[in-house]
């Protein structure tokens, strides 16, 4: 692969959606270039005309790969899965595959968007922490229950799947918002097991090109 055709990931170190994609790229051993989009600096670099032309939703992650530009983390992960199927992130069994998608969507549609930066701006500074904690607790109460019936070593059985790529960044969000994880032993156990894997470590927010020095590990 020539240098110019290396995939480009537009990412923000602390974006949980970007982290999902970084894990997938690491697991599939895909070499890529990062272009940081700082969601806070300059009133949010995602609002620049240049970036809006790439992603009309003005969000990260956005991936340029194989001559196309893809946004939305789950769409990106599914594209990587279909074009670079090893290691497999969606089980062959249709029932397990449905469970993986159900868990991924529970996080990607039902929890994360309700506590992300754009929503927190709307609820006002003094309500942000309470709001985020309430949203995450509601989602985690459901997720803990789901995982009790689907989990093995990981979210669905004993193979890492797209569901795990969604879980770890969301637990990191929960910790950032000081959510007590004691009521969620299954979530906590799976998260701990996943964080020991290299792909989850190299993609971690504390190890990105745009991570501020004080947050680096």
């Amino acid at each position: 692969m020539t240098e110019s055709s290396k995939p480009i990931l537009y990412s923000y170190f602390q974006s949980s959606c970007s982290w999902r994609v970084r894990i997938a790229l690491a697991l599939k051993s895909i070499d890529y270039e990062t272009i940081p989009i700082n969601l806070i600096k300059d009133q949010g670099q995602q609002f620049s005309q240049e970036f809006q032309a790439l992603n009309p939703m003005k969000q990260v992650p956005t991936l340029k790969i194989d001559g196309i530009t893809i946004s939305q983390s789950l769409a990106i992960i599914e594209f990587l899965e279909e074009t670079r199927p090893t290691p497999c992130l969606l089980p062959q069994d249709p029932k397990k595959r449905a469970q993986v998608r159900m868990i991924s969507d529970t996080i990607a549609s039902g929890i994360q968007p309700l506590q992300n930066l754009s929503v927190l701006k709307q609820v006002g500074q003094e309500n942000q922490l309470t709001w985020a904690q309430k949203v995450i607790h509601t989602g985690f109460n459901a997720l803990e229950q789901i995982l009790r019936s689907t989990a093995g070593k990981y979210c669905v059985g004993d193979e890492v799947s797209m569901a795990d790529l969604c879980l770890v960044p969301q637990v990191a969000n929960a910790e950032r918002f000081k959510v007590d994880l004691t009521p969620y032993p299954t979530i906590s156990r799976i998260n701990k097991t996943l964080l020991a894997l290299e792909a989850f470590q190299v993609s971690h927010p504390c190890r990105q090109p745009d991570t501020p020095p004080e947050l680096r590990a």
Side-chain angles (χ1 to χ4, degrees):
M1 191 177 269
T2 62
E3 197 62 35
S4 61
S5 65
K6 191 191 274 193
I8 297 171
L9 179 67
Y10 296 82
S11 169
Y12 178 56
F13 80 101
Q14 219 165 27
S15 149
S16 58
C17 303
S18 298
W19 189 3
R20 293 171 197 158
V21 172
R22 295 195 302 258
I23 301 165
L25 291 163
L27 283 167
K28 291 179 181 289
S29 304
I30 301 166
D31 188 26
Y32 66 96
E33 182 191 338
T34 301
I35 295 187
I37 300 293
N38 192 311
L39 304 186
I40 295 161
K41 205 170 145 196
D42 314 324
Q43 273 104 41
Q45 295 174 349
Q46 70 275 29
F47 301 118
S48 72
Q49 281 183 316
E50 188 187 7
F51 187 69
Q52 198 177 331
L54 275 179
N55 183 347
M57 277 297 279
K58 299 170 273 207
Q59 294 170 337
V60 291
T62 300
L63 183 69
K64 272 188 178 176
I65 189 167
D66 298 348
I68 65 165
T69 302
I70 319 169
S71 60
Q72 298 301 334
S73 61
L74 299 193
I76 295 171
I77 293 165
E78 295 229 19
F79 177 79
L80 294 175
E81 181 67 5
E82 285 160 6
T83 56
R84 295 149 176 87
T86 321
C88 166
L89 297 176
L90 283 166
Q92 293 308 303
D93 175 63
K95 289 177 184 172
K96 283 189 170 178
R97 188 175 278 235
Q99 289 174 330
V100 166
R101 288 189 167 126
M102 169 178 71
I103 294 161
S104 302
D105 281 338
T106 298
I107 296 167
S109 307
I111 306 175
Q112 191 278 329
L114 295 169
Q115 48 95 111
N116 74 5
L117 195 59
S118 59
V119 171
L120 291 179
K121 278 180 181 168
Q122 302 299 319
V123 301
Q125 191 74 46
E126 68 285 1
N127 304 318
Q128 287 183 358
L129 191 64
T130 321
W131 170 272
Q133 287 175 343
K134 182 169 179 268
V135 163
I136 294 168
H137 273 303
T138 305
F140 275 17
N141 287 339
L143 193 58
E144 178 71 18
Q145 205 175 322
I146 292 166
L147 289 172
R148 276 186 213 139
S149 63
T150 64
K153 192 175 176 185
Y154 305 119
C155 284
V156 177
D158 296 329
E159 301 296 325
V160 173
S161 71
M162 181 165 74
D164 299 298
L165 278 54
C166 295
L167 182 81
V168 167
Q170 185 53 54
V171 174
N173 281 348
E175 289 171 342
R176 214 165 80 229
F177 290 119
K178 304 178 174 59
V179 170
D180 176 19
L181 295 172
T182 318
Y184 313 116
T186 316
I187 291 174
S188 300
R189 173 184 65 76
I190 296 167
N191 181 64
K192 192 180 172 189
T193 309
L194 288 163
L195 281 173
L197 303 176
E198 191 191 0
F200 288 78
Q201 292 177 6
V202 297
S203 58
H204 196 284
C206 69
R207 294 185 182 87
Q208 297 317 299
D210 56 328
T211 307
E214 68 276 13
L215 297 177
R216 285 193 169 280

